[in-house]
Amino acid sequence: MKFISKEKSPLKVNFHFSLFSGIGGFLAIASISLLTKETAIPFIMALFGASCVLAFGVPDSPLSQPRNIIGGQVI
């Protein structure tokens, strides 16, 4: 006897969400790279990349709210 789970996936995304998330992450990381090149001040890309994943990948998560992202970058 097989048990079939009818639970939904915790996160269902469509193509448009994935496309806009990718474009948003690319533009954000490209702008930080451009700022680093133009100002000669090294910005921490690993920290910013993790914030981009949270902000664009799972925008409804409590960890990706503006106060948490800005606070994490400042600290």
Side-chain angles (χ1 to χ4, degrees), residues 27-45:
L27 290 175
I29 292 173
S31 65
I32 290 296
S33 298
L34 184 64
L35 281 173
T36 298
K37 184 178 177 185
E38 295 298 321
T39 62
I41 298 172
F43 291 96
I44 301 174
M45 288 302 290

Side-chain angles (χ1 to χ4, degrees), residues 36-75:
T36 298
K37 184 178 177 185
E38 295 298 321
T39 62
I41 298 172
F43 291 96
I44 301 174
M45 288 302 290
L47 194 71
F48 190 73
S51 295
C52 280
V53 168
L54 284 173
F56 296 111
V58 278
D60 294 333
S61 170
L63 294 175
S64 62
Q65 299 308 308
R67 68 174 183 265
N68 294 334
I69 290 178
I70 294 170
Q73 295 294 324
V74 170
I75 290 175

Side-chain angles (χ1 to χ4, degrees), residues 13-25:
V13 295
N14 57 18
F15 177 73
H16 293 286
F17 178 78
S18 298
L19 180 68
F20 288 130
S21 294
I23 291 171

